[in-house]
């Protein structure tokens, strides 16, 4: 009897135990360790020589110009990628939302970049963006337009990376939006037609509100993802030229051997920024998102 | 106020003809019910009037004017959909006034209309609510209010009651009859439910496989069916049909027009059969009677017959129907009518 009662109480904890161990080992422990490291001047060769320095790392972050530069780059990159992807994928999704064979083919084509490794994508675009022999300048010239320096000028490098990221990700978001658009009952559009609704008003007052949950999801997922951009920068520019494409994660990567404590502190700051941004989104937009 | 006319209308879906060369006139101010089994083309006709599923060929006239090229929103028709098709992201008020806003009705007028209509359908307290917080019956009324507020000349309704429970449906039937009486506009109502058709219609248009089987008031549809399909579609249980054995002719009688007794009955058509099932419905009782190879349903006020009991049934001559081998009705003035009648005596 008594044993039974103990088991009754323990059972739920035993059941979630395996999952909790996983979460603790792979999520909570690394996060706490990151936070812990950020308070040290860490010595890689001899960890016993590591020194607790309090908030010095954080003070250093907020007083260094290169941090602000990479933060600014990241914000511009995120803004560019999120805006362009949302706009373009919405346009394409509206275009593809009719269920025809042609649309299925086009949709598969647009989705394909998403299944290619970002490393391959970056390399291919790296060649295409080569200023002298690259395909993109060849196209520009044959159209009679002035060629661009693409990745080799600090003016255009960040935008070039934005293009690659948008191209790579768009198929996935088109897929989500097409599904959302096809989920809207045709009766609603018929009712709107009988209500003498103009095309613009149908889109603005009916279509957009009905896909707002998916748009909101994309906004948040993409903001978080874009803030952590790394692979394209690593492969295509290495943060250059002249730090023009140095983003936060790449910035952290730069200190991976020289100053672990500082890198950890920057990581914590990045986490905080993403967290705050997400909260702001919810706070600003949750009233405009219609869940059914 | 408007009459509707279909002239040689044909509708194809992916090369399949759903409706072929159909002609129909729906009268001004009448409550017309299009009824038939699913896939018979009744909703297709309704969508043609609304303009949201235009005909392949032929024309649809509203008050004698061809409306084929007029946008749905400019036809002066309003529609209530089967699933209501309420705008889910708008409040009840926004739903009702959406059409008015599109038609640039000014704010004061709009407010007045929305308030009087929502008062009429009992939605005043719910104007600020989102549709997802309403019950099925309330959503139904939002859909109705949204249609009414536009003051259309034609009301189109596509099985509006099919998502409601039985009790609410009975109530809504009465409400709709009253609404029609009050507004006096043309109502076109689509349903597969013969009870709805019989109870509400001024005129029933009974369809099957894209063809109009009969177009008549409920009484006439019930008492004078044009063919076997109509005879069996209307009435629960449907009309009993038996083979006469002459020229492929079939005879029929309604379960409720039978006299049943344990004693032999005096009637032009009588038979003695055995009760195989009994369904007590309250005021009436349904019996299935086996006679030779066939069985007939009868509906009787007498509930004392029991299963396996032998009983006599009889049907009066004015309650007997004859149908030719193609299913069409054989009327009393047919030259062989008396012969068939005599043949039935020997059944």
């Amino acid at each position: 009897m008594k044993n039974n009662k103990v088991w009754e109480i323990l059972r739920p904890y035993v059941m979630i135990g395996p999952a909790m161990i996983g979460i603790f080992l792979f999520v909570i422990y690394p996060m706490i360790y990151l936070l812990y490291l950020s308070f040290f001047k860490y010595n890689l060769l001899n960890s016993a020589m590591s020194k607790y320095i309090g908030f010095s790392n954080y003070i250093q972050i907020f007083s260094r110009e290169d941090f602000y530069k990479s933060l600014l780059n990241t914000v511009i990159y995120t803004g560019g990628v999120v805006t362009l992807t949302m706009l373009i994928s919405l346009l394409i999704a509206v275009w593809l939302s009719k269920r025809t064979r042609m649309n299925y083919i086009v949709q598969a084509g647009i989705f394909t970049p998403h299944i290619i490794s970002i490393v391959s994508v970056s390399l291919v675009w790296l060649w295409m963006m080569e200023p002298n022999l690259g395909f993109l300048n060849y196209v520009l010239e044959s159209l009679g337009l002035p060629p661009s320096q693409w990745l080799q000028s600090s003016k255009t490098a960040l935008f070039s990376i934005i293009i690659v990221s948008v191209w790579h990700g768009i198929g996935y978001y088109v897929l989500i939006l097409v599904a959302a658009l096809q989920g809207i009952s045709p009766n609603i559009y018929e009712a709107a037609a009988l209500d003498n609704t103009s095309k613009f008003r149908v889109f603005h007052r009916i279509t957009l509100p009905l896909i707002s949950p998916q748009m909101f999801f994309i906004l948040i997922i993409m903001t978080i993802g874009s803030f952590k951009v790394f692979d394209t920068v690593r492969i295509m520019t290495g943060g250059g030229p002249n730090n023009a494409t140095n983003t936060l994660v790449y910035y952290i990567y730069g200190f991976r051997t020289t100053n672990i404590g500082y890198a950890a502190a920057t990581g914590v700051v990045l986490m905080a920024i993403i967290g705050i941004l997400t909260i702001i989104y919810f706070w600003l937009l949750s009233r405009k998102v219609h869940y059914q | 106020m408007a009459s509707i006319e279909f002239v040689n209308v044909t509708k194809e879906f992916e090369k399949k003809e759903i409706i072929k060369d159909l002609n129909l006139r729906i009268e001004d101010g009448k409550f017309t019910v299009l009824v038939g089994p699913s896939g018979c083309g009744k909703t297709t006709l309704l969508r043609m009037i609304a303009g949201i599923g235009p005909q392949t060929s032929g024309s649809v006239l509203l008050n004698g004017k061809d409306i084929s090229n007029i946008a749905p929103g400019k036809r002066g028709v309003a529609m209530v959909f089967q699933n209501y098709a309420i705008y889910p992201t708008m409040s009840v008020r926004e739903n009702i006034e959406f059409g008015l806003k599109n038609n640039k009705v000014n704010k004061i007028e709009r407010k007045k209309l929305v308030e009087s209509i929502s008062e009429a359908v009992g939605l005043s307290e719910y104007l600020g609510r989102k549709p997802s917080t309403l019950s099925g019956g309330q959503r139904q009324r939002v859909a109705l209010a949204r249609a009414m507020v536009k003051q259309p000349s034609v009301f189109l309704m596509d099985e509006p009651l099919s998502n409601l429970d039985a009790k609410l449906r009975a109530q809504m039937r009465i409400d709709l009859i009253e609404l029609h009486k009050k507004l006096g506009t043309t109502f076109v109502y689509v349903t597969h439910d013969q009870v709805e058709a019989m109870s509400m219609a001024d005129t029933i248009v009974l369809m099957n496989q894209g063809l109009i089987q009969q177009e008549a008031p409920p009484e006439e549809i019930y008492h004078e069916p044009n063919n076997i399909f109509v005879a069996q579609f209307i009435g629960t249980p449907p009309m009993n049909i038996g083979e006469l054995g002459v020229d492929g002719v079939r005879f029929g009688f309604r379960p409720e027009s039978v006299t049943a007794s344990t004693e032999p009955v005096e009637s032009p058509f009588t038979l003695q059969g055995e009760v195989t099932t009994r369904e007590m419905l309250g005021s009436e009782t349904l019996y299935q009677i086996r006679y030779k190879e066939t069985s007939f349903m009868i509906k009787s006020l007498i509930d004392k017959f029991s299963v396996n009991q032998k009983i006599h049934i009889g049907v009066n001559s004015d309650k007997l129907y004859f149908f030719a081998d193609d299913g069409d009705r054989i009327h009393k003035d047919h030259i062989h009518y008396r012969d068939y009648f005599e043949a039935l005596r020997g059944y």
Side-chain angles (χ1 to χ4, degrees):
Chain A
M1 275 304 282
K2 208 178 163 202
N3 262 343
N4 241 343
K5 211 160 203 181
V6 173
W7 173 237
E8 238 0 75
I9 297 165
L10 281 181
R11 189 167 57 185
Y13 299 100
V14 174
M15 295 281 191
I16 60 165
M20 285 312 293
I21 290 169
I23 289 177
F24 185 80
L25 271 181
F26 300 114
V27 179
I28 297 175
Y29 172 72
M31 266 170 64
I32 290 172
Y33 194 58
L34 182 76
L35 200 64
Y36 169 82
L37 281 179
S38 71
F39 294 113
F40 281 83
K41 186 171 175 46
Y42 195 81
N43 192 325
L44 263 181
L45 289 175
N46 183 357
S47 56
M49 296 279 284
S50 300
K51 208 170 81 190
Y52 176 77
I53 52 168
F55 282 93
S56 292
N57 281 330
Y58 291 94
I59 294 165
Q60 201 192 344
I61 289 172
F62 291 111
S63 55
R64 276 177 71 152
E65 217 168 289
D66 55 356
F67 168 78
Y68 289 107
K69 173 72 180 161
S70 52
L71 178 62
L72 180 68
N73 282 341
T74 312
V75 170
I76 295 173
Y77 171 84
T78 304
V81 170
V82 172
T83 324
L84 281 177
T85 310
M86 296 258 282
L87 273 179
I88 299 173
S89 53
L90 185 61
L91 278 175
I92 297 179
V94 170
W95 169 42
L96 291 179
S97 59
K98 269 214 175 113
R99 295 164 200 256
T100 63
R101 180 175 301 217
M102 188 62 198
N103 284 353
Y104 285 128
I105 296 170
V106 174
Q107 195 182 331
I110 292 174
F111 187 75
T112 310
H114 189 73
I115 58 173
I116 306 173
S117 149
I118 185 77
V119 176
S120 320
V121 168
S122 304
L123 284 173
V124 170
W125 278 86
L126 191 59
W127 295 328
M128 292 207 303
M129 285 173 165
E130 208 286 319
N132 298 315
L133 304 160
F135 178 70
L136 291 190
N137 272 356
Y138 170 76
V139 171
L140 286 181
E141 272 166 32
S142 49
L143 289 174
L145 294 167
S148 166
Q149 285 299 305
W150 300 111
L151 295 161
Q152 308 206 351
S153 153
S154 56
K155 283 189 191 123
T156 51
L158 191 57
F159 186 67
S160 303
I161 289 187
I162 291 176
I163 292 177
V164 176
S165 301
V166 170
W167 180 82
H168 184 250
I170 216 154
Y172 178 65
Y173 300 110
V174 167
L175 193 73
I176 292 178
L177 289 181
V178 165
L181 288 170
Q182 287 178 345
I184 301 174
S185 155
N187 282 159
I188 298 216
Y189 289 121
E190 288 163 3
L194 281 160
D195 270 346
N196 197 18
T197 321
S198 66
K199 272 201 171 137
F200 174 76
R201 250 174 93 76
V202 168
F203 185 74
H204 177 240
R205 295 281 288 139
I206 293 169
T207 310
L208 270 187
L210 279 170
I211 61 168
S212 58
Q214 286 82 359
M215 297 284 285
F216 190 56
F217 170 77
I218 292 178
L219 177 68
I220 288 187
I221 287 293
M222 281 195 47
T223 306
I224 294 173
S226 303
F227 249 91
K228 299 189 295 190
V229 60
F230 174 75
D231 9 31
T232 34
V233 175
R234 171 82 183 88
I235 292 159
M236 297 179 77
T237 64
N242 192 21
N243 272 343
T245 57
N246 199 357
T247 56
L248 275 180
V249 175
Y250 194 74
Y251 181 76
I252 294 170
Y253 178 74
F255 293 101
R256 71 194 178 281
T257 50
T258 51
N259 195 344
I260 293 267
Y262 184 74
T266 319
V268 172
V269 171
L270 175 64
M271 208 158 69
I273 292 173
I274 294 175
I276 290 167
L277 255 183
T278 310
I279 290 168
I280 291 176
Y281 277 154
F282 269 93
W283 182 52
L284 283 180
L285 295 174
S286 56
R287 280 179 59 94
K288 292 195 189 296
V289 178
H290 300 275
Y291 297 99
Q292 290 181 53
Chain B
M1 292 291 195
S3 65
I4 301 154
E5 211 175 333
F6 293 92
V7 183
N8 297 328
V9 164
T10 299
K11 175 79 183 179
E12 290 171 10
F13 281 114
E14 285 158 6
K15 305 260 159 87
K16 246 176 69 189
E17 272 186 346
I18 303 295
I19 289 169
K20 192 175 180 337
D21 275 336
L22 180 135
N23 288 287
L24 174 68
R25 199 185 142 77
I26 292 170
E27 272 178 78
D28 180 19
K30 286 276 170 62
F31 199 130
T32 304
V33 175
L34 305 176
V35 66
S38 39
C40 73
K42 52 193 191 302
T43 301
T44 312
L45 282 187
L46 197 74
R47 293 169 61 88
M48 282 179 201
I49 305 174
I52 52 181
Q55 65 276 18
T56 315
S57 67
S59 46
V60 181
L61 313 181
L62 193 73
N63 281 334
K65 240 174 51 199
D66 193 339
I67 52 167
S68 305
N69 293 323
I70 298 178
K74 307 222 189 272
R75 295 184 173 196
V77 302
M79 182 157 169
V80 178
F81 291 84
Q82 181 171 8
N83 60 8
Y84 316 140
I86 299 172
Y87 311 124
T89 56
M90 299 182 203
S91 69
V92 172
R93 177 190 292 277
E94 287 171 316
N95 259 286
I96 298 174
E97 72 177 359
F98 192 63
L100 298 179
K101 270 190 179 166
N102 293 336
N103 290 333
K104 311 257 183 309
V105 176
N106 72 53
K107 206 172 168 184
I108 303 155
E109 181 78 358
R110 228 161 51 205
K111 195 167 174 335
K112 217 175 75 192
L113 273 169
V114 170
E115 259 146 42
S116 71
I117 297 286
S118 51
E119 180 77 48
V121 296
L123 280 173
S124 303
E125 305 159 42
Y126 304 104
L127 282 177
R129 298 255 291 257
K130 280 277 165 65
S132 54
T133 64
L134 301 178
S135 70
Q138 288 164 340
R139 283 180 213 192
Q140 161 77 70
R141 276 179 281 157
V142 175
L144 211 55
R146 189 176 63 180
M148 283 164 68
V149 82
K150 289 189 283 184
Q151 297 167 317
S153 52
V154 178
F155 263 98
L156 307 173
M157 304 195 190
D158 185 9
E159 312 212 14
L161 307 187
S162 58
N163 289 342
L164 302 179
D165 62 63
K167 204 171 162 189
L168 202 52
R169 204 179 312 159
Q171 179 57 45
M172 282 304 293
R173 282 208 300 264
I174 295 168
D175 290 352
L176 284 178
I177 296 170
E178 276 175 358
L179 181 68
H180 176 247
K181 211 189 302 174
K182 205 163 71 188
L183 299 176
T185 49
T186 313
F187 274 46
V188 185
Y189 187 105
V190 161
T191 181
H192 62 265
D193 181 357
Q194 48 129 341
V195 177
E196 279 176 23
M198 292 295 281
S199 57
M200 293 191 288
D202 291 322
T203 307
I204 291 180
V205 178
L206 210 162
M207 297 180 64
N208 189 32
Q209 296 182 339
L211 298 172
I212 295 175
Q213 304 292 321
Q214 189 166 0
E215 186 196 339
E219 300 77 21
E220 198 182 323
I221 288 257
Y222 179 79
H223 292 295
E224 301 294 338
N226 266 351
N227 54 39
I228 286 201
F229 182 82
V230 177
Q232 291 212 289
F233 192 85
I234 301 290
T236 38
M239 182 183 278
N240 293 302
I241 300 290
E243 297 286 343
L244 188 61
V246 186
D247 304 345
V249 169
R250 282 166 285 180
F251 69 95
F253 59 89
R254 293 203 179 273
E256 52 271 33
S257 48
V258 169
T259 334
S261 167
T262 48
E263 304 296 316
V265 282
E266 276 295 311
S267 271
F269 172 66
T270 59
L271 55 84
Q272 190 193 22
E274 187 184 321
V275 178
T276 51
T277 62
R278 174 179 181 270
E279 293 170 59
M280 171 69 194
L281 299 180
S283 59
E284 296 152 320
T285 308
L286 277 179
Y287 300 100
Q288 188 178 215
I289 310 288
R290 163 131 51 224
Y291 174 72
K292 288 183 185 164
E293 296 300 292
T294 57
S295 52
F296 299 113
M297 295 300 294
I298 69 162
K299 201 190 243 179
S300 173
L301 292 173
I302 304 167
D303 63 2
K304 61 172 192 265
F305 305 134
S306 57
V307 174
N308 293 334
Q309 193 179 358
K310 297 241 181 216
I311 60 168
H312 294 269
I313 62 169
V315 184
N316 280 335
S317 54
D318 58 335
K319 301 284 188 196
L320 283 166
Y321 301 88
F322 294 93
F323 302 97
D325 51 358
D326 61 355
D328 277 353
R329 175 91 181 276
I330 297 171
H331 287 277
K332 281 201 172 70
D333 47 8
H334 190 272
I335 45 166
H336 294 306
Y337 187 82
R338 291 242 53 95
D339 304 342
Y340 298 141
F341 202 84
E342 288 308 316
L344 192 58
R345 285 188 186 277
Y347 186 74

